[in-house]
Structure formats: structure tokens, C-alpha cells
Amino acid sequence: MIPVKVEEKLFQNRYRVDAGRPHINIKNPTTCQVECKTQECTVCCPAGCYTAEGNGQVVLITDGCLECGTCRIICTTYRNVDWEYPRGGYGILFKFG
Amino acid sequence: MDEKFDAIVVGAGPSGNAAAYTMAKAGLKVLQIERGEYPGSKNVQGAILYSKALEEIIPDFREDAPLERHIIEQQMWVLDDESYVGSTYRSAEFNKQPYNRYTIIRAQFDKWFSRRVQDAGALLVCETTVTNLIMDRNRVIGVQTDREGGSIYADVVILADGVNSLLAKKAGFHPELEPKDVALAVKEIHFLPEETIQSRFNTGEGEGVVIEMAGKITQGMMGTGFLYTNKDSLTIGVGCMLSDFKSQKTTPYLLLEQMKAHPAIRPLIEGGEMKEYTAHLIPEGGYKAMPKLVGEGWMIVGDSGMFVNAVHREGSNLAMTTGRLAAETVIDLKQKDLPMTAANLAYYQGRLEDSFVMKDLKKYKNMPEIFHKNNQFFTEYPELLNRAAHTMLTVDGVDKKTKEREIRKSFKTRRSLFGLMGDAFKMWRAFE
């Protein structure tokens, strides 16, 4: 396996972060921590926005979000992701796309 | 904004731009709403532009559209860990104008397309997210935005809001997408001097190459990789079904990193400066996963309607064509002074059926299912094929008949005779 930090990739991108207003929220954190055994969001998010903590908690930081929708669709069992588009003009701003 | 429009188009990607352009050009009062800072700032594609679909909308697009390179060569690689077996098609025909397809950079292309839309007379509002559809009973009569006092009304709303298509879902028009119906693709753009690209890919100025890849690079998942030549950059990416990412618990950017390290790929991108990393979902569920396309006062075009031909890697041409056909339906109804009811808007469906869009989607309707259930096409066959090539091409004193026997045996051991026959039948069913 090749070690790579997603942060180094995201660093190349341009964002306008809507500080204090994340466009994605985990509906019920306890569901992730207690019920969800697979936590695919922590592995499959292409921007690594979801982190699995040692105590089973899932921490979401949306700053690097690429707005693809993976987490929204992948959470099939619990539908525990509240996903909206960022406010107009905020979020990822692709230079090339 | 308390005005009323003939039509509101949500989104300024290829389908939304095609729809807004066509309607505005016919004299309709069109409002287009885009959530990005500028059209293209939220959009991601490989990206190949197929000329035909755009020609039907803007015949003279070549005059000022930002095009990277016209494609003169297509390669298909089937990869093992260390090697690949490939086919190449290059033709001087592809070097004759008008060119059939080009690489493009979407942020630039979408900006250009949008300028044409505005020149045609449509009103574009950027940095505005449509949050809800405004309903009068079961009829869509306008949209709500995140701007203050942001309710706007129109006779018809065209949803060109992309793969996630939140509006149609919130309104209950569509069920939620399933992981098996979308592919997740990640890609990077690497900048290199123009001459370096030309010498690496053996092309002249303005000429480009497309490489599509399948095999071990997707680590057993259903998907493909790609490498496209732009003017002074390369786009490299890989996309696989989200259901496979989910069940295998694969990290997309690690998959891409592994692919970039393949001994046949690494030298092609060597020394490039990576300037952007993107991810995007591609609606690849095909004909059987298509949602409802029209309703009372609304229509759906492009990715939000699942208009992607995954087999041929076509999407933006379907997007532009569906946008145009939806617009022509609206123009027609306007001229006849007919209301935008579901029954009247259904003419759009008819136009789709008559076009290559539905014909192609129907042709490959069984494809997703067959490949989902048979991942040997992405694992065992690439390996067997590469081993066979290796056996035949290594000169080691073993006679060719013995080598052929070995190869036949390797196929039969891995897949059994019935397995091989079954696979041949499945391939035929997938592409028939």
C-alpha cells in the first residue's frame, strides 16, 4: 500500500469555507458510535472528511468536502447523513473540474 | 424577484446550458440558477467533448470554445499488476476537420457555454442554491432559493442539478440513489509542458490521446481508469461502482495512488505538477434505474435523469441532447399555447425515445446487472490475458504448441469450461 495523505491533495484545491455552517451533518452521532459496525463513510469519503475515533465515534469535518455525495448514498442502513448543498458561492470551487 | 419566467433551469452544466440556450434562442424568458461562483466551479468531468451533440446546439462552437486537443488515438488497456495488454486505434481520419471529439477542461468550457447562453438572452444568477421546489398541490410552480426573498415562479422548471438531484428527491419525485447505481470517480490534473506531452504520446500540436483502462487497477471492483491528454496537462482518474467501494471498504484516493504507481502508467505522468484533486459520482445505473423524467410543471435532464452510457463513457453528450430535447418540448408547447402539464411534457419522453439517447440506454440495459454479478471480468480475465501474452512473448526454448496448451489450461483451471462458456454468453447479453 502506498502511503498518501489526502490533505496534501486537498491542499491544491480552492475552497470558500462557510465557517460555522457545515452543509453536512450527522443526524444522530450515537447511531454511528453504537449501532453502525461498518462505518464505510470513514473509509470511502474521497476527501477523508469522516474520521473513526478510538471510542467508535465518527467525527465529521466538512472543510475539504468535494461535494460528491458519496457519504449521503453510502449510508444505506441508517440514513444518518443530513446532506445539503453549501450556500450559494460556498464550498469547493473547482479551477479545472 | 417577483417576476415570472417562462422557464427556470436549475444548474449550469452541459444539460442546463443546452436547455437554457435553446429556449432563450427561441425567445423564451429564461432564468438559470447556478450555485457555484461561476458556471463550472461545481462541475467535474474527465473530460471528453463529443462534437455532434454540441454542434446541434451551437454549430459554430469551434470558433471560440476552449478546446484542449482533438483526439486522434484511442487506447484500451487491460492491466495486470506489472503489465498490460492493449489495443490502439489511431487514424489520420481523426486529423481531418471537423474533429469528432476533444479533451476539454470543464471549468473553462462551462464558462464559455454559459456566456453563449447569456448572449442568447437567458438571465443567469450565480452563487445561489435552489433549496426547494414551490408546489401548488402536485404542480411545480417555481423555486425557492437561499437568497433573501428568493421565491421565483415559472411555467416550467427544468432540473439540471446533477447526479445528486436533491430537489427531485425532496419533492418525492425520485427515490434515493442506491450505491449500485452510481460510480465514484476520483481524478487529478497534472501539468506538463506541451512538448513533453506531445513526445510522450507521439502526437503533433493540438492532437490528443485517450487511454481507457480496465483490470487489476480497480482491485476487483467494477470500474475503469482513464488518462486523457489536455494541451499542457494530463487528467488521470479511476471510477468504480460505489457499492463495490462500500463492500470492499476501499479508499478512493489510495486506489488512484496505486494506479498512478503502475509501471506502465508512472512514466507517462512523471514530473507533472498536480494542481487539483476532484471526486464525482457518475449515474451508471442505466435504463433500468432511470427515474421519472417529467411531471406537472417539471422535467429532468442530464445526470439527474441518469443519462449516462457507462459502456461508451458518454455522459455530457447525453446531457446536452436531453437538455435540448426538453427545451424543444417547452418551445413547442409555448407556441401552441398549451399548458406545461405532465401529459404535455411527456412529448419530451417521446423525443428521447426517437433519439440515440434512449436507444443506446436500452441496448445496454442488462449490462450493469451482469457486470455486478460477475467481477471475474475485472479480476481473473485481465490476469489470464496478461499471463497468456507473457507466455507467448517470452522466448525460452519451449515450443509454441506447448505454450498454447498451457494458456488453454490456465483459462480452464481458473474459470472451468462451463464458466468460460457462461462468461462468453454473459458478455454477449451485456452488449447485444
Side-chain angles (χ1 to χ4, degrees):
Chain A
M1 190 62 84
I2 298 153
V4 60
K5 282 207 172 95
V6 72
E7 291 80 3
E8 281 165 24
K9 292 182 186 291
L10 301 176
F11 183 71
Q12 299 298 326
N13 295 352
R14 194 176 148 235
Y15 295 93
R16 192 193 293 162
V17 175
D18 200 355
R21 288 177 68 155
H23 65 285
I24 308 172
N25 286 288
I26 292 172
K27 289 181 194 166
N28 182 358
T30 317
T31 306
C32 303
Q33 190 175 7
V34 179
E35 287 175 58
C36 183
K37 302 286 174 241
T38 46
Q39 303 189 339
E40 290 97 344
C41 57
T42 64
V43 183
C44 297
C45 168
C49 293
Y50 294 81
T51 321
E53 298 290 326
N55 58 0
Q57 242 182 336
V58 174
V59 174
L60 165 63
I61 297 168
T62 58
D63 292 6
C65 177
L66 299 164
E67 295 167 33
C68 67
T70 292
C71 57
R72 193 174 68 79
I73 293 168
I74 214 167
C75 189
T76 47
T77 314
Y78 303 104
R79 295 249 176 262
N80 201 26
V81 179
D82 187 13
W83 203 100
E84 291 284 342
Y85 285 121
R87 272 197 297 165
Y90 287 93
I92 181 78
L93 294 167
F94 291 119
K95 299 170 283 185
F96 307 103
Chain B
M1 211 187 289
D2 233 13
E3 282 177 86
K4 195 177 163 213
F5 291 85
D6 289 326
I8 294 172
V9 178
V10 184
S15 68
N17 282 337
Y21 179 88
T22 308
M23 289 188 294
K25 205 150 195 303
L28 268 60
K29 197 174 161 193
V30 179
L31 173 70
Q32 190 180 24
I33 307 174
E34 163 59 43
R35 67 189 183 89
E37 185 184 44
Y38 48 85
S41 64
K42 297 290 184 183
N43 305 346
V44 176
Q45 192 194 336
I48 304 292
L49 171 76
Y50 300 96
S51 305
K52 178 74 181 158
L54 183 56
E55 256 166 22
E56 304 229 339
I57 300 161
I58 305 178
D60 66 349
F61 78 90
R62 291 179 180 87
E63 280 175 19
D64 58 354
L67 307 167
E68 293 288 307
R69 288 173 185 270
H70 66 271
I71 304 305
I72 61 155
E73 178 179 310
Q74 163 112 27
Q75 299 188 24
M76 265 299 306
W77 291 9
V78 179
L79 297 100
D80 198 354
D81 289 327
E82 301 282 313
S83 61
Y84 76 87
V85 175
S87 67
T88 301
Y89 183 68
R90 176 188 277 237
S91 172
E93 286 279 314
F94 289 145
N95 243 337
K96 288 184 191 143
Q97 290 187 9
Y99 304 129
N100 179 260
R101 51 188 177 144
Y102 301 87
T103 43
I104 54 168
I105 288 176
R106 276 290 298 277
Q108 292 159 13
F109 178 82
D110 289 4
K111 245 190 229 173
W112 165 84
F113 200 167
S114 175
R115 257 197 319 275
R116 287 296 196 106
V117 172
Q118 293 170 74
D119 290 346
L123 176 64
L124 170 73
V125 184
C126 286
E127 301 194 297
T128 305
T129 303
V130 174
T131 47
N132 274 301
L133 297 173
I134 303 173
M135 308 287 294
D136 177 14
R137 274 169 303 207
N138 66 341
R139 200 163 72 87
V140 174
I141 56 166
V143 300
Q144 220 164 49
T145 73
D146 61 354
R147 295 258 180 148
E148 215 166 305
S151 297
I152 316 154
Y153 300 89
D155 292 334
V156 65
V157 175
I158 297 186
L159 301 172
D161 54 344
V163 58
N164 281 292
S165 187
L166 295 187
L167 292 170
K169 292 188 181 70
K170 276 191 202 166
F173 300 155
H174 291 178
E176 187 51 271
L177 287 163
E178 288 180 51
K180 70 169 177 55
D181 293 332
V182 291
L184 167 60
V186 289
K187 73 175 173 71
E188 293 175 352
I189 188 164
H190 291 248
F191 282 76
L192 281 165
E194 218 176 311
E195 303 73 41
T196 309
I197 292 174
Q198 274 141 222
S199 66
R200 268 184 208 179
F201 292 87
N202 187 25
T203 68
E205 204 184 322
E207 303 168 352
V209 172
V210 160
I211 309 178
E212 305 281 359
M213 308 172 199
K216 298 277 280 284
I217 46 162
T218 59
Q219 299 176 10
M221 298 187 284
M222 170 179 170
T224 52
F226 59 90
L227 177 61
Y228 299 154
T229 57
N230 305 317
K231 195 161 186 252
D232 55 357
S233 63
L234 301 173
T235 303
I236 183 160
V238 57
C240 301
M241 299 317 292
L242 190 56
S243 44
D244 288 346
F245 273 112
K246 182 176 154 87
S247 62
Q248 293 199 19
K249 294 193 100 180
T250 302
T251 299
Y253 50 88
L254 296 179
L255 182 74
L256 177 60
E257 224 41 45
Q258 203 106 23
M259 170 180 156
K260 279 161 57 190
H262 189 282
I265 299 170
R266 198 179 49 228
L268 292 175
I269 58 170
E270 191 87 72
E273 191 191 348
M274 199 277 267
K275 289 198 178 171
E276 191 170 71
Y277 164 67
T278 61
H280 194 62
L281 293 179
I282 307 167
E284 293 196 354
Y287 184 73
K288 289 182 176 172
M290 287 193 71
K292 209 173 132 193
L293 300 171
V294 295
E296 301 294 331
W298 64 271
M299 312 165 95
I300 245 174
V301 295
D303 272 5
S304 29
M306 224 1 94
F307 290 110
V308 165
N309 179 342
V311 177
H312 289 266
R313 323 305 306 150
E314 292 177 28
S316 63
N317 55 329
L318 278 73
M320 288 183 207
T321 304
T322 56
R324 175 173 62 83
L325 295 177
E328 285 172 0
T329 308
V330 172
I331 295 165
D332 214 32
L333 295 177
K334 272 273 160 197
Q335 275 165 356
K336 292 179 181 144
D337 215 12
L338 291 168
M340 303 291 160
T341 57
N344 285 338
L345 291 174
Y347 285 113
Y348 166 51
Q349 200 118 17
R351 284 169 202 262
L352 288 170
E353 301 281 347
D354 291 340
S355 75
F356 75 95
V357 173
M358 284 304 199
K359 285 179 188 164
D360 283 354
L361 287 171
K362 275 186 193 166
K363 174 171 159 54
Y364 296 117
K365 64 180 188 300
N366 295 320
M367 200 277 308
E369 222 172 326
I370 289 169
F371 281 119
H372 272 302
K373 289 186 188 139
N374 297 278
N375 74 349
Q376 67 269 23
F377 293 118
F378 298 93
T379 52
E380 286 172 304
Y381 279 111
E383 206 179 316
L384 286 166
L385 204 58
N386 277 277
R387 289 316 302 166
H390 190 82
T391 305
M392 282 316 276
L393 296 173
T394 306
V395 177
D396 52 4
V398 179
D399 68 280
K400 301 296 182 271
K401 248 211 163 105
T402 307
K403 280 174 185 278
E404 277 176 16
R405 231 183 350 258
E406 256 175 52
I407 292 167
R408 265 203 305 276
K409 207 177 126 205
S410 73
F411 273 74
K412 271 195 264 180
T413 325
R414 293 290 291 274
R415 291 295 304 153
S416 83
L417 196 55
F418 280 114
L420 290 171
M421 282 163 62
D423 289 343
F425 177 70
K426 284 168 198 157
M427 283 300 263
W428 172 72
R429 282 254 302 149
F431 292 98
E432 99 184 271

